[in-house]
Amino acid sequence: MKNSKYLPLMATFVVFVLAYIICISVFPNMLSTRVAGNLLTDNAFLGITAVGMTFVILSGGIDLSVGSVIAFTGVFLSVILRDTSIHPLVAFVMVLALTTAFGAAMGGVIFFLDMPPFIVTLAGMFLARGISYLLTTDSVPITHPFYSTLQDIYFVMPGGGRLTLIAIVMLVVFAVGIILAQRTRFGTYVYALGGNLTSAQLMGVPVAKTTIGIYALSGFLAGLSGIVFSLYTSAGYSLAAVGVELDAIAAVVIGGTLLTGGYGFVAGTFLGICIQGLIQTYIVFDGTLSSWWTKIVIGLLLFGFIALQRGLMWMSERSARNMRHASAAQPSNA
Amino acid sequence: MANAQPLLSVRGVSKAFLGVSALENVDFTLQAGEVHALLGENGAGKSTLIKIITGAYRRDEGEVLLEGTPIYPRDVVDAQKLGIGTVYQEVNLLTNLTVAENLFLGRQPKRFGLTDVREMNRRSRAILDTYGLHIDVTAPLANFSVAIQQVVAIARAVDISGKVLVLDEPTASLDAHEVEMLFAVVRQLRARGMGIIFISHFLDQVYEIADTITVLRNGRLIDTVPVAGLDRLKLVSMMLGRQLESDIKRTIDPDTPKSEPLVSLRGLGKRGNVDPLDLDIRQGEVVGIAGLLGSGRTETAQLVFGIERADSGTISVAGTPVAMTSPRKAIAQGFAFCPEDRKTDGIVGDLSVRENIIFALQAQRGWMRPLSRSEQEALADRYISALDIRTSDREKPIKFLSGGNQQKVLLARWLATNPRFLILDEPTRGIDVGAHAEIIRLIIDLCERGMALLVISSELGELVGYSSRIIVLRDRKMVSELTGDEISTDHIMKAIASHGATGEAA
């Protein structure tokens, strides 16, 4: 009973372990740091933006703009690095400032105009994608030597696997995200907004600041994810990262976060990313399966998790009711 | 009142909304170490006064003094900081957070810039220990009963504010045992010297816990009196307002042969909602339901109409038991129900008078058999003239009509379905005098044409006027059934005020 809020997280963990066991029993080679390293590297950009998405969904919102923001970041960086002599680090700061401000602006619209996050971030999605097209419609390669330097940073894990810089960035983002959610006032405010907006307001939660902060954080992490994506692909392309927002939402939900907000963990999202990564890896190892199987399995998993959450809510509602009736029956009938 | 300086003092406060006065020149004084009950029926101005004290509204006139200093709380959070905390009936905490997080939200202890969870939990345990509550503070609040959530809410309010505590119907969803637990906490806080404003519809509870009572009616202060020695009948008449003129009653021929009941309730009830009750309603009869707000009047009507599902008892219609599981089933039996709050549960403001009238009939026929436009127009015109609905045009959106005319449109909607049994919940609330009289005439007229009616009203004089029988509810129980000569406002008030063996904490 007490741990019912951990139940979806535990379910995710069980699914992850099962998936891993299945993978290893079919392809024993998958049990290696090499595979683990690649999995983290391939999903680094998705994981980073999924951390931001976790905060948004915990607060009861949604951010559909992140895929477009990732594409915009890549295009912005590639154009800047091609046309000017600005150092990539400076360009990183510029683009992060832009995407953070973009997220904050969406949060402001959501709060002050009292608009549904779905609509506001849908507008943001079109806007960011449109601006990317405006910058360039071509895929622009990034050839700056600093990029090669960054791409060559990695740790060799025991067993020969490489923990690349972008994988490390993702792990750090998850660690910071966990602390932010569990150990700061901002984190508690995020849960509070997702729990009950009216109560949160009456209890003195700074709703405006928190809402803007949440979408600014999501914008910042989408920008960071875009930088990582540009390091991963060495290019900027306005058609890139289409649908990544949906993959991120899927990872968050499979990670056990309630879509209506208030319940969930950043750590769960990490497991959600790993499960998605495992499925992709399995398909690569198999070699005969179409890559669309990833989508099919993810779809089935999503259905499963939504059903699980619904079931858990029914169960807790019923036990709450029974508890009330039990306590109501005792004294009044005595 | 001997104290030199009261804890909280409200002087000559007035508040109006869009020119309609909600509170007029009200005084209210709260001493430290006092439980002060604030009583009044709907529209009495209780909640307006509370919202002014707690900063949710700003007063138009008058002043509020806390320990002798005038205060102007900007909002609820500001009032909390000044020392005035509020706990609402719907506990306003966050059930997805832990108990400790609820107690310390917004003021969590920090260590190295991060929340010090261990310290927060330790302090939470210490706070709740003083209330005799030993629970796992790291568990989500949702794991605990409403009563415990109430105590946590009180603990938070006291810890933040610590001077004045407003309890707005805190016992409405608690059982007797839980109420005792809550009252123990309230007594403890009173002993600590806090001033507590207690709002409740349960007179037994008021007598049990309060030291002083202030009664408001129609936005005006009626009186502030000590509870000790206060006669219940006097209190009820203060709340309801005695009509001085003698009751006007409809003459009912006592020799009318008693027909078989059309609707017959046997042991119908729902736990925590309405205690099981028996009631027969015959054709050509108006049964009135009297009782204070929160006594279970509306809940009874909702059970009969299938809006709430009963968990005990049966409903029979013309001798046949019916499973009343939804309003659709009730409508199929020829039932009709005009709810209390016509703005939210009745009218569809943007649709025309015609569309509002045909709703129930169309729903009954099903979407496969739409009423033709000419049928709709004929129907609407018939009822507009029959009920004298004042509207320039049957196509006018109903939101532009006056309250009385909206109520008539709702009546027309149900009359169009040609019901056998009509339930009216506060049919005359908030409408002008002329329309008031017309609706009463209509009730009598329908009754004489053989319809069975169940009418809920706070206007006792009016209820006495048209009812063939009146049942009185108190604390969700039927406590009396008045027939013939017993029907009078006097008897109703005595029944409401009585506190027999069923009263007190059962």
Side-chain angles (χ1 to χ4, degrees):
Chain A
M1 182 66 199
K2 184 204 155 180
N3 292 325
S4 67
K5 76 170 184 175
Y6 297 109
L7 229 114
L9 185 64
M10 287 183 327
T12 308
F13 188 69
V14 169
V15 169
F16 173 71
V17 171
L18 281 179
Y20 209 34
I21 289 173
I22 292 171
C23 287
I24 292 167
S25 61
V26 179
F27 305 110
N29 284 342
M30 273 180 76
L31 183 64
S32 74
T33 55
R34 233 176 257 269
V35 171
N38 286 345
L39 191 153
L40 293 179
T41 303
D42 293 343
N43 290 287
F45 77 99
L46 182 60
I48 291 166
T49 199
V51 171
M53 189 67 81
T54 312
F55 280 90
V56 173
I57 292 179
L58 277 177
S59 78
I62 198 91
D63 188 350
L64 298 178
S65 71
V66 295
S68 301
V69 171
I70 291 171
F72 165 78
T73 306
V75 171
F76 180 88
L77 288 175
S78 61
V79 170
I80 286 258
L81 295 180
R82 183 191 62 188
D83 298 348
T84 70
S85 55
I86 291 173
H87 190 270
L89 277 177
V90 180
F92 290 169
V93 173
M94 286 164 64
V95 79
L96 285 177
L98 273 177
T99 60
T100 308
F102 183 69
M106 288 194 299
V109 171
I110 289 165
F111 178 80
F112 291 110
L113 303 188
D114 196 17
M115 296 280 286
F118 187 96
I119 298 299
V120 175
T121 59
L122 184 71
M125 172 178 121
F126 287 123
L127 205 64
R129 187 71 67 181
I131 294 171
S132 320
Y133 285 127
L134 215 58
L135 288 175
T136 176
T137 50
D138 305 320
S139 177
V140 181
I142 299 175
T143 51
H144 199 285
F146 185 68
Y147 257 66
S148 324
T149 318
L150 292 180
Q151 283 157 346
D152 287 341
I153 299 174
Y154 58 83
F155 288 107
V156 179
M157 295 182 284
R162 286 177 179 186
L163 194 61
T164 57
L165 176 70
I166 61 173
I168 293 168
V169 169
M170 174 181 75
L171 293 175
V172 169
V173 166
F174 267 105
V176 173
I178 289 170
I179 292 170
L180 190 62
Q182 301 302 322
R183 287 286 183 272
T184 65
R185 282 191 192 169
F186 173 78
T188 316
Y189 290 157
V190 173
Y191 281 93
L193 287 196
N196 184 330
L197 193 60
T198 320
S199 293
Q201 235 151 1
L202 282 174
M203 289 174 79
V205 171
V207 179
K209 244 163 74 181
T210 310
T211 308
I212 293 170
I214 289 164
Y215 288 91
L217 176 69
S218 180
F220 171 81
L221 289 177
L224 187 61
S225 168
I227 294 172
V228 164
F229 192 66
S230 73
L231 280 165
Y232 181 59
T233 57
S234 299
Y237 185 32
S238 45
L239 266 175
V242 172
V244 163
E245 59 280 350
L246 302 180
D247 289 334
I249 293 167
V252 173
V253 173
I254 292 174
T257 297
L258 203 62
L259 253 183
T260 47
Y263 292 92
F265 298 94
V266 175
T269 304
F270 182 70
L271 290 177
I273 293 284
C274 290
I275 291 171
Q276 290 200 19
L278 271 182
I279 299 165
Q280 284 162 356
T281 313
Y282 182 96
I283 287 160
V284 171
F285 266 69
D286 184 273
T288 59
L289 288 170
S290 146
S291 69
W292 290 107
W293 277 101
T294 316
K295 303 276 176 205
I296 292 168
V297 177
I298 299 275
L300 291 174
L301 274 178
L302 269 177
F303 271 123
F305 271 89
I306 290 165
L308 173 81
Q309 289 177 350
R310 199 64 254 185
L312 280 176
M313 273 164 70
W314 272 332
M315 259 168 51
S316 69
E317 271 164 26
R318 218 177 47 205
S319 68
R321 223 174 22 238
N322 288 344
M323 203 167 69
R324 277 203 53 71
H325 276 179
S327 67
Q330 272 166 8
S332 57
N333 291 352
Chain B
M1 308 282 148
N3 287 21
Q5 193 183 70
L7 178 60
L8 181 79
S9 166
V10 173
R11 289 195 207 140
V13 162
S14 299
K15 175 81 189 171
F17 297 101
L18 304 167
V20 181
S21 170
L23 212 55
E24 265 185 81
N25 194 23
V26 168
D27 296 334
F28 178 83
T29 306
L30 178 71
Q31 305 289 348
E34 175 189 55
V35 177
H36 195 141
L38 188 58
L39 299 180
E41 287 289 273
N42 253 348
K46 275 179 312 186
S47 54
T48 310
L49 178 60
I50 289 304
K51 283 181 174 165
I52 286 171
I53 293 173
T54 59
Y57 292 160
R58 293 198 201 167
R59 53 191 186 262
D60 296 342
E61 276 172 49
E63 56 183 356
V64 177
L65 304 166
L66 183 67
E67 294 176 322
T69 319
I71 55 165
Y72 306 90
R74 271 174 289 120
D75 51 37
V76 182
V77 177
D78 196 29
Q80 278 175 7
K81 282 184 197 139
L82 288 167
I84 303 171
T86 315
V87 173
Y88 303 91
Q89 173 192 349
E90 308 289 334
V91 191
N92 271 301
L93 294 180
L94 294 152
T95 53
N96 62 326
L97 301 185
T98 69
V99 174
E101 282 170 337
N102 270 291
L103 282 171
F104 281 96
L105 186 69
R107 52 195 191 107
Q108 294 99 323
K110 282 187 183 179
R111 198 155 165 253
F112 308 128
L114 299 179
T115 307
D116 187 348
V117 176
R118 196 178 296 173
E119 172 70 7
M120 182 171 81
N121 291 342
R122 193 187 60 74
R123 282 204 228 163
S124 301
R125 263 180 235 114
I127 289 173
L128 293 181
D129 275 351
T130 64
Y131 295 89
L133 204 59
H134 308 286
I135 56 173
D136 180 4
V137 297
T138 63
L141 192 68
N143 286 9
F144 301 101
S145 70
V146 178
I148 290 179
Q149 295 185 18
Q150 288 278 18
V151 176
V152 173
I154 290 174
R156 176 181 164 90
V158 170
D159 204 46
I160 293 178
S161 306
K163 288 177 189 165
V164 176
L165 178 65
V166 181
L167 298 175
D168 191 354
E169 292 197 48
T171 58
S173 49
L174 305 187
D175 65 47
H177 180 70
E178 293 172 325
V179 169
E180 271 316 306
M181 174 181 139
L182 190 76
F183 280 4
V185 168
V186 171
R187 288 196 189 96
Q188 189 197 336
L189 294 172
R190 170 169 61 188
R192 276 201 231 166
M194 285 195 66
I196 295 154
I197 303 175
F198 179 74
I199 299 168
S200 175
H201 295 302
F202 302 111
L203 294 189
D204 288 341
Q205 293 178 0
V206 168
Y207 271 88
E208 194 188 334
I209 194 81
D211 304 303
T212 315
I213 293 179
T214 290
V215 178
L216 299 180
R217 195 173 71 230
N218 297 330
R220 288 166 198 272
L221 174 70
I222 300 303
D223 205 354
T224 298
V225 287
V227 174
L230 175 64
D231 180 45
R232 280 188 182 233
L233 194 55
K234 190 173 165 231
L235 176 61
V236 173
S237 68
M238 275 161 68
M239 287 168 68
L240 297 181
R242 263 307 276 287
Q243 275 97 345
L244 289 174
E245 75 273 28
S246 59
D247 301 330
I248 304 148
K249 282 172 77 170
R250 183 161 68 95
T251 47
I252 298 157
D253 186 359
D255 299 331
T256 315
K258 290 214 164 168
S259 58
E260 281 300 300
L262 175 69
V263 180
S264 174
L265 317 179
R266 285 291 167 269
L268 190 74
K270 182 181 164 95
R271 212 172 338 191
N273 218 325
V274 191
D275 280 6
L277 56 86
D278 294 343
L279 183 65
D280 289 324
I281 303 150
R282 296 178 180 80
Q283 291 193 312
E285 205 178 37
V286 179
V287 175
I289 301 186
L292 294 176
L293 194 72
S295 59
R297 300 175 307 188
T298 299
E299 289 81 352
T300 305
Q302 288 180 340
L303 284 183
V304 176
F305 200 62
I307 295 169
E308 287 286 334
R309 268 195 210 199
D311 55 15
S312 70
T314 55
I315 300 179
S316 308
V317 181
T320 322
V322 179
M324 207 59 80
T325 51
S326 72
R328 285 186 73 88
K329 291 223 170 111
I331 294 168
Q333 289 296 331
F335 286 21
F337 178 51
C338 285
E340 180 176 8
D341 190 344
R342 63 175 168 265
K343 289 229 164 55
T344 57
D345 298 336
I347 63 165
V348 183
D350 289 316
L351 294 187
S352 69
V353 172
R354 168 183 56 81
E355 286 163 316
N356 270 287
I357 288 178
I358 61 132
F359 259 147
L361 183 59
Q362 184 63 69
Q364 197 181 36
R365 285 165 60 111
W367 60 272
M368 289 292 286
R369 297 165 52 221
L371 288 160
S372 73
R373 180 70 183 228
S374 60
E375 279 174 302
Q376 291 182 17
E377 285 173 0
L379 205 64
D381 286 342
R382 183 145 57 89
Y383 281 102
I384 287 171
S385 72
L387 302 187
D388 194 21
I389 298 169
R390 312 262 163 75
T391 171
S392 56
D393 181 356
R394 71 169 112 77
E395 300 304 328
K396 194 170 178 174
I398 191 169
K399 65 181 175 191
F400 295 127
L401 269 59
S402 72
N405 283 307
Q406 289 179 357
Q407 190 66 25
K408 288 190 204 166
V409 170
L410 281 186
L411 270 166
R413 174 192 295 174
W414 288 109
L415 295 179
T417 65
N418 202 14
R420 294 193 277 178
F421 177 49
L422 178 62
I423 306 168
L424 302 173
D425 193 354
E426 296 282 6
T428 56
R429 165 161 313 150
I431 64 180
D432 60 271
V433 186
H436 195 138
E438 284 173 46
I439 287 188
I440 289 175
R441 205 174 318 130
L442 188 72
I443 289 172
I444 294 170
D445 190 44
L446 290 169
C447 169
E448 277 166 0
R449 281 195 268 154
M451 195 182 284
L453 289 99
L454 184 66
V455 184
I456 298 167
S457 179
S458 305
E459 309 257 339
L460 299 187
E462 161 193 326
L463 210 53
V464 167
Y466 49 65
S467 300
S468 334
R469 265 184 304 139
I470 291 178
I471 62 167
V472 181
L473 299 180
R474 181 165 55 79
D475 294 357
R476 301 171 184 147
K477 281 191 189 72
M478 183 167 137
V479 291
S480 185
E481 179 165 355
L482 307 171
T483 53
D485 289 341
E486 292 169 358
I487 298 179
S488 70
T489 46
D490 252 16
H491 278 110
I492 296 174
M493 284 205 278
K494 275 185 190 142
I496 293 174
S498 70
H499 55 303
T502 50
E504 302 310 340

